[in-house]
Amino acid sequence: MSKRRMSCSVTYDNTGSRPWLIILAFISCFFILAYGDDSYKLINIGAIIDVNSRNGKEKKVAMEIAVKDFNNVSQNHKLSLHFQEPERDTLQAASAAEKLIKEKELKAIIGMERWGEATLVADIGNRVQVPVLSLAEPAITPLLMPVRWPFLVRMTNHRAAQIKGIAALVGSYKWKRVVVIYEDDENGGDTGDLTLFSEALQDIGSEIEYRLVLPPFSYLTNPKEVVREELEKLLRIQSRVFIVLQSSSSMVIHLFREAKEMGFVGMDSVWIISDTITSFLDSFNSSVISSMEGALGIKPYFSEDSSSYIDFKARFKKTFRAEYPEEDSPDPGLYALKAYDSIKTVTQGISKMTSDDSSAKILIENILSSNFTGLSGEISFKEGRLSHTPILRIINVLGKKDRELDFLLPEFGFSKSLEIENDTRERNSRTGLISAVIWPGDLSKRDPKGWAMPTDSKQLKIAVPGRTSFEKFVKVHQHEKTLTIDGFCIRLFEEVLKVLEYDLPYEFYPVNGTYDELINGVYNKTYDAVVGDVTIMASRSKKVEFTQPYAESGLSMIVPAKSEESAWMFMRPFTWKMWVVTGVILIYTMLIVWLLEHKQNPDFNGPWQSQICTALWFTFSSLFFAHRERIYSNLTRVVVVVWLFVVLILNSSYTASLSSMLTVQRLKPNVTDIEWLKRNDLKVGCDGDSFVRKYLEDVIEFRSENILNVDSEYKYQGEFKNNSIAAAFLELPYEKVFINRYCKGYTATTPTYRFGGLGFVFQKGSPIAADFSEAILKLSENGVLRSLEERWFTPSAECSVNITNNETESLTLSSFWGLYLISGGTSTICFIIFLVRLLRNYRHDKQDASITTVLRLARHKCNREGMQNPGRVIIIAGTQDANGLSSSRLEYPIPSDITDDLQESSESDIEMQNIPSCS
C-alpha cells in the first residue's frame, strides 16, 4: 500500500465557544493522512524463523535493526517485516509462507533454518515469483538448482567447507575412526552431511565407526533419559572421536552433560563441534561450558574489527537485552550477521529498481548481482549461492570464552595466521594444529589417541594362540591354576611395552582355535588384540589392523635329503670352463718354455719325443713346485716366475674350496618340484590351523585328500619316516626352526610364495597398532629384535657346524681371468722378444758367411798370380747407403789352410779391386 506524508496542524483561539470545530479539525487530519496521495512505497518482507530459539532471537533482532537502518535513510521505499514462526511440520511452514504472500503481498521471504523448509518455500516462490533468501543450505548442492528454483538465493556457503574442514582436522591427527552425532530433523534427513563427511574421511584414510542419531528435541518429553539411552550404545564402541555435525542448543546441553557423567568426555577423548553450536557458546551457562571444556570447534571467520561491525554489535546488544533479558549473553553470532546481510541484500536490490520496472524477475536479478562487503563477509553470488569460499577458525572451548587456535585456509590447510607465507615452515614441521590444544581431561603432554584406551579397571583383552605347531613362538602351559605363557612373540610384546610412552594394562586370553578364528575374535570386538605368530594377509587386513611385521614370511617346502658325496668331488672346486682354461694356459706355457730353452738347454735337447716329455714334465711338476730342470734363458725365467705365481693362487683357491666342500655337509633334496608331487599324487603335510592348507588347495591346487594336517613340529619327522608325506609346507619362520633342529636329514627350498610377514593384530582404527609398529621399528634398528631372534632361534650344536643350506659354490673363471691374462701376456711378450733376437742373430751370421767367401776368393787370386806365401789381403767392398755408393777397406790375413778352398771357389758377387800385393 502506498501512503502520502501530510502535515496537519490545527490552530485555534476560542475553543471553549466552538468545540465542534476542534472535533472537525481532527477528523479532517485523520482522513487526509489516511487517504492522501502516495509519497513512498511500503515493501513487505516475510521472515520465517523460530523466535523462541536462541538462533531465532538473534536473527529477529538483527533483521529489525537492518529494517530500521534502511527506513531511516530511504525516502522512496519503506520496509515492513512480518515474522512467521515455523511449526514442527515443514509443510505447515510452507503453508504459512504461502499465506503471508497472499495476505501481506510479500516482495521477498527470508529465513528458513532447515533445508527442507527452504526447498518447499522456494517452490512457492517459483509459483508466485517471490525471491526467497535461505539461511539454510545442504552440504551437497542439488543438481540443476538454479533451474529448479530460480527464485531461491542461499545466503550461506560454508556448510560443505566446514564438513571438509572437520575431516581435515581428523586427518591431521591421524584418527582412523570417528563417531558422528547429529540431531535429526523432522523429516529424518541429514541434508547430505553424512554423505559428504564420509567421502571426506575416505580421502584421508578414516571412516565412520558409528552414527548416533538423536531425535528432534521438540518431540522429547524426557530428553535426559533419551540422550543417556543413546549414549549407552557407545559403550561397546572403541572410537572416542565424537563429531557433532548438527544439533540444537537445547540438545547440546543435555548431550554434553550426560556424556561427561558417563565418562565420554575425558582423557584420550576428542569432541569436535560445528558452527551450529560454536556460534552460541556465549549463550551457555558455566555448567554447560564445563562439560564441553576441551572440545574443538569450527566457526566461519568474519572480521570483528570493522567499524560497521562494532556499531552493529553495540546496537544489537542494547536491543537484545531489552527484548530478551533472560538470555545470558547479548553478543551476536554468525547467523545474526547473515540475517542482517540478507535484509541489506534485498534492500540493495530494491534500491536498483525503477518505478517503471518493479517486477519480481528484476528484483531477483538485482539481488543475484549484489557485490558488497557485509558484516559476515563478501556478498556476491554465483548460481544462486555465495561465491567465495570462507575462511574457517578452529577454536578450543575453554572457560566461558572460546579460545582461537588456528585458521583453516582454503587450498592451504591450517595456519597460525591469515598470512600463509610466514607459517608454511612451522606447519610442515608437525602433525595436527600449530597452536597448543587443551584437550578433555587436561591431557597436555601428548595428543589424545581418540580411542578407548585400556585402564586398570578395563584392561586390554589380548588373545594368544592356545595351541601352536611351533612352541618357540607362543607356548601356553597350564599347571593346576597357574597359567604360563612364553615364547618369542610374548618376549617381543614385552619389549614393545618398554618402548611405548604410556602404560598399557593388559590380560592374556589363550584361545584354542584357528588363526582365522583369532582374527574374527578381534573383528567382532570379543578381543582387543592378538599377540602371536599371525601372518599378515590382504583378506585379514580388511577386518583388522596389523602392526609392522616383525618377521618375514613365505611358503617353504621341506623334503628329506640325502648326502651329495661323490667320487668326483675333487672336480667340484672348479667349474668345467675353469678346468678347460687352466689346461689351455698350462699347455701354452709349456710350449713357450720349450721354444725358449730347447736350443741352448741340454735338458730340452734330443729327439722330439724326449723334448715333448721333458716340457710336459717340467710344466706339470711346476704345479707342485717339484721341477728340477735348469733354466738357461732369462726370458724363460720371467715366464716361469709368473707361471709359478699363477700356480700358487690356483693351488690355494682349489685347496680352500675343496676343504669347504668336504667339511660342510651337503644334502641333496629327494624332491625339488611341486608339480612332480602333484603329478605323482603324493601327500604333503602342513599346519591345519594356519592359512597354509587353504592356500595349498586354492592357489597351488593340491587335492584336499592329499593334504595332511600336522599339529606339532615334532610329528613331521615321524610322518616323513612313515612315508605318510613326501613333503611339508611351512612358513619361513617355522622352516628355520625346523631346519635348525633337523638339519642332518632334511633340506628346504627357497620360498616361492611370499606373504606380508608376521605381525600383531588390533582392531580397525586402533592407534595402538601404529604405536606398536613404531616400537617394532625402533627395536629392529637398535638390535633388540635381532638379539631376541638369536636367543630363541639359535641352531642346535650339531646344526650350527653343519649348516644345510650354506652350499659352497664352484670357483668360476670370472674370478681368475685377470690372472690368466697376466700369465699368457707375459709368455707372449717373452716369446716376441725371443723372436726379435733370433732374427738379429740370423742377419749377423749371414754377414760373417759372406766375408768368409771373400777371403777364399782373394786367396784364389793370389795363387793365380804366383804368390806362394801370401800374408795379407786388402779388400775393398762396396756398400750402398742413403747417399749412394760408399766403400770400406778391410784387411784380413789369409790362412794357408784355405788356399785349396779358394782355388776351388767360383766367381763372387763381391767385386774385388785395388789389391796391390799379396805379401
Side-chain angles (χ1 to χ4, degrees), residues 612-627:
I612 293 174
C613 291
T614 302
L616 285 174
W617 168 252
F618 176 82
T619 309
F620 277 102
S621 62
S622 65
L623 293 176
F624 312 99
F625 305 99
H627 53 284

Side-chain angles (χ1 to χ4, degrees), residues 544-558:
V544 295
E545 196 88 28
F546 281 99
T547 65
Q548 178 80 14
Y550 58 81
E552 61 177 330
S553 178
L555 197 59
S556 182
M557 184 174 68
I558 307 295

Side-chain angles (χ1 to χ4, degrees), residues 156-415:
T156 56
N157 69 342
H158 61 272
R159 191 70 187 159
Q162 182 179 185
I163 290 176
K164 293 179 180 179
I166 295 175
L169 193 59
V170 172
S172 67
Y173 286 99
K174 300 180 181 180
W175 295 315
K176 296 301 181 182
R177 290 198 163 192
V178 303
V179 176
V180 176
I181 303 174
Y182 66 94
E183 182 182 353
D184 197 7
D185 60 16
E186 285 75 6
N187 297 325
D190 60 9
T191 66
D193 289 13
L194 276 180
T195 303
L196 182 61
F197 187 56
S198 179
E199 292 176 354
L201 287 179
Q202 289 178 6
D203 293 340
I204 62 171
S206 301
E207 62 179 338
I208 298 175
E209 184 176 14
Y210 188 78
R211 292 182 298 172
L212 183 63
V213 184
L214 301 174
F217 186 81
S218 57
Y219 285 88
L220 302 180
T221 57
N222 190 353
K224 180 178 180 179
E225 182 179 350
V226 173
V227 170
R228 177 171 283 272
E229 290 177 357
E230 293 297 326
L231 288 175
E232 287 177 353
K233 299 177 183 178
L234 300 179
L235 294 175
R236 61 184 182 88
I237 302 299
Q238 294 293 321
S239 175
R240 288 297 180 265
V241 180
F242 304 103
I243 313 295
V244 186
L245 281 183
Q246 61 182 28
S247 177
S248 62
S249 301
S250 302
M251 181 63 77
V252 166
I253 293 173
H254 290 279
L255 173 64
F256 276 93
R257 280 178 177 172
E258 298 304 317
K260 185 77 175 286
E261 291 182 6
M262 298 176 67
F264 290 109
V265 184
M267 186 173 293
D268 284 307
S269 295
V270 180
W271 287 81
I272 303 177
I273 54 181
S274 64
D275 70 318
T276 58
I277 303 171
T278 56
S279 298
F280 309 109
L281 286 175
D282 293 338
S283 64
F284 295 151
N285 58 41
S286 57
S287 62
V288 177
I289 292 296
S290 64
S291 64
M292 300 174 64
E293 197 161 25
L296 293 179
I298 291 187
K299 296 171 65 174
Y301 168 77
F302 58 87
S303 176
E304 299 181 9
D305 301 328
S306 63
S307 57
S308 56
Y309 174 79
I310 296 173
D311 177 68
F312 169 78
K313 182 178 180 180
R315 289 185 295 153
F316 180 90
K317 294 175 69 173
K318 181 178 179 180
T319 306
F320 195 82
R321 281 199 189 98
E323 292 190 19
Y324 306 105
E326 72 278 5
E327 294 290 340
D328 291 339
S329 174
D331 292 333
L334 176 67
Y335 290 95
L337 307 183
K338 289 288 185 183
Y340 182 93
D341 289 341
S342 299
I343 295 293
K344 188 173 181 179
T345 302
V346 174
T347 59
Q348 286 202 1
I350 292 173
S351 301
K352 296 177 183 179
M353 297 175 64
T354 63
S355 58
D356 297 333
D357 193 354
S358 59
S359 65
K361 290 185 178 180
I362 298 299
L363 178 58
I364 191 65
E365 290 177 1
N366 292 341
I367 291 174
L368 293 177
S369 64
S370 300
N371 188 8
F372 66 95
T373 301
L375 296 177
S376 61
E378 297 295 326
I379 305 297
S380 60
F381 299 95
K382 181 180 180 181
E383 297 182 352
R385 59 175 295 177
L386 291 177
S387 59
H388 76 283
T389 302
I391 297 174
L392 302 178
R393 292 188 296 174
I394 312 299
I395 59 102
N396 194 193
V397 179
L398 188 64
K400 187 63 178 175
K401 280 286 190 180
D402 57 77
R403 172 172 162 259
E404 188 174 280
L405 299 177
D406 294 344
F407 293 95
L408 182 56
L409 306 180
E411 300 181 358
F412 173 73
F414 299 104
S415 173

Side-chain angles (χ1 to χ4, degrees), residues 633-643 826 830:
S633 174
N634 290 331
L635 292 177
T636 308
R637 291 188 179 95
V638 173
V639 171
V640 171
V641 167
V642 174
W643 168 247
T826 303
C830 290

Side-chain angles (χ1 to χ4, degrees), residues 622-755:
S622 65
L623 293 176
F624 312 99
F625 305 99
H627 53 284
R628 293 293 181 265
E629 291 77 10
R630 295 182 60 188
I631 301 298
Y632 285 78
S633 174
N634 290 331
L635 292 177
T636 308
R637 291 188 179 95
V638 173
V639 171
V640 171
V641 167
V642 174
W643 168 247
L644 291 177
F645 176 73
V646 173
V647 169
L648 175 65
I649 299 300
L650 292 177
N651 281 343
S652 302
S653 302
Y654 178 87
T655 303
S657 181
L658 183 61
S659 301
S660 176
M661 289 182 176
L662 293 176
T663 55
V664 175
Q665 182 184 9
R666 299 167 59 83
L667 299 179
K668 182 178 181 180
N670 291 337
V671 180
T672 59
D673 188 13
I674 294 177
E675 295 299 325
W676 185 84
L677 291 171
K678 293 161 60 177
R679 285 195 304 269
N680 290 275
D681 205 26
L682 297 176
K683 292 187 176 182
V684 298
C686 69
D687 181 7
D689 290 338
S690 69
F691 72 96
V692 176
R693 181 183 180 91
K694 185 173 178 59
Y695 192 85
L696 292 176
E697 294 177 0
D698 298 342
V699 179
I700 306 182
E701 297 180 347
F702 274 100
R703 295 171 56 186
S704 178
E705 56 270 20
N706 287 341
I707 302 176
L708 181 66
N709 291 341
V710 183
D711 57 4
S712 174
E713 61 178 303
Y714 305 106
K715 294 182 179 180
Y716 282 100
Q717 189 178 24
E719 300 293 344
F720 277 118
K721 289 183 178 180
N722 297 333
N723 293 324
S724 299
I725 58 175
F729 286 90
L730 301 176
E731 292 184 71
L732 184 59
Y734 310 137
E735 174 257 308
K736 291 180 179 179
V737 174
F738 185 85
I739 294 300
N740 284 346
R741 182 183 296 272
Y742 304 107
C743 61
K744 285 291 186 180
Y746 300 91
T747 185
T749 61
T750 302
T752 305
Y753 307 93
R754 295 193 174 275
F755 310 106

Side-chain angles (χ1 to χ4, degrees), residues 396-694:
N396 194 193
V397 179
L398 188 64
K400 187 63 178 175
K401 280 286 190 180
D402 57 77
R403 172 172 162 259
E404 188 174 280
L405 299 177
D406 294 344
F407 293 95
L408 182 56
L409 306 180
E411 300 181 358
F412 173 73
F414 299 104
S415 173
K416 184 66 178 175
S417 63
L418 296 177
E419 300 294 332
I420 63 175
E421 293 82 2
N422 299 329
D423 197 50
T424 304
R425 182 177 301 177
E426 184 178 5
R427 176 72 193 97
N428 294 333
S429 63
R430 58 156 292 154
T431 301
L433 296 175
I434 300 174
S435 302
V437 182
I438 303 299
W439 300 102
D442 292 331
L443 185 64
S444 56
K445 294 183 179 180
R446 60 176 175 85
D447 295 328
K449 298 297 182 181
W451 196 259
M453 298 298 288
T455 60
D456 292 334
S457 59
K458 188 179 180 181
Q459 297 181 338
L460 192 72
K461 297 177 64 176
I462 300 178
V464 295
R467 60 171 187 258
T468 57
S469 298
F470 290 82
E471 296 179 346
K472 280 186 174 292
F473 291 91
V474 178
K475 181 179 181 180
V476 179
H477 180 67
Q478 181 76 46
H479 180 68
E480 296 180 353
K481 294 183 178 181
T482 303
L483 179 65
T484 304
I485 302 177
D486 200 5
F488 170 76
C489 297
I490 306 301
R491 297 303 181 192
L492 177 60
F493 174 78
E494 294 173 352
E495 292 294 333
V496 169
L497 294 182
K498 297 177 182 178
V499 179
L500 295 180
E501 298 177 353
Y502 52 87
D503 294 331
L504 193 69
Y506 67 91
E507 185 175 359
F508 286 134
Y509 293 85
V511 178
N512 293 321
T514 64
Y515 285 85
D516 286 334
E517 290 174 351
L518 290 172
I519 296 294
N520 291 330
V522 176
Y523 177 67
N524 59 31
K525 296 180 172 56
T526 304
Y527 304 103
D528 298 314
V530 174
V531 170
D533 48 338
V534 183
T535 304
I536 302 172
M537 303 187 69
S539 58
R540 294 173 174 177
S541 297
K542 296 178 180 179
K543 297 181 178 180
V544 295
E545 196 88 28
F546 281 99
T547 65
Q548 178 80 14
Y550 58 81
E552 61 177 330
S553 178
L555 197 59
S556 182
M557 184 174 68
I558 307 295
V559 294
K562 61 181 180 180
S563 176
E564 270 192 330
E565 294 179 357
S566 170
W568 297 95
M569 180 67 72
F570 69 91
M571 297 292 292
R572 291 274 181 101
F574 290 164
T575 61
W576 68 270
K577 290 183 179 180
M578 183 74 176
W579 283 114
V580 170
V581 175
T582 302
V584 170
I585 199 69
L586 183 145
I587 294 174
Y588 182 71
T589 303
M590 176 197 73
L591 291 175
I592 297 298
V593 170
W594 175 78
L595 287 171
L596 296 177
E597 290 290 323
H598 78 284
K599 283 190 175 183
Q600 54 185 332
N601 193 335
D603 291 337
F604 288 87
N605 287 334
W608 287 102
Q609 296 85 352
S610 176
Q611 294 183 37
I612 293 174
C613 291
T614 302
L616 285 174
W617 168 252
F618 176 82
T619 309
F620 277 102
S621 62
S622 65
L623 293 176
F624 312 99
F625 305 99
H627 53 284
R628 293 293 181 265
E629 291 77 10
R630 295 182 60 188
I631 301 298
Y632 285 78
S633 174
N634 290 331
L635 292 177
T636 308
R637 291 188 179 95
V638 173
V639 171
V640 171
V641 167
V642 174
W643 168 247
L644 291 177
F645 176 73
V646 173
V647 169
L648 175 65
I649 299 300
L650 292 177
N651 281 343
S652 302
S653 302
Y654 178 87
T655 303
S657 181
L658 183 61
S659 301
S660 176
M661 289 182 176
L662 293 176
T663 55
V664 175
Q665 182 184 9
R666 299 167 59 83
L667 299 179
K668 182 178 181 180
N670 291 337
V671 180
T672 59
D673 188 13
I674 294 177
E675 295 299 325
W676 185 84
L677 291 171
K678 293 161 60 177
R679 285 195 304 269
N680 290 275
D681 205 26
L682 297 176
K683 292 187 176 182
V684 298
C686 69
D687 181 7
D689 290 338
S690 69
F691 72 96
V692 176
R693 181 183 180 91
K694 185 173 178 59

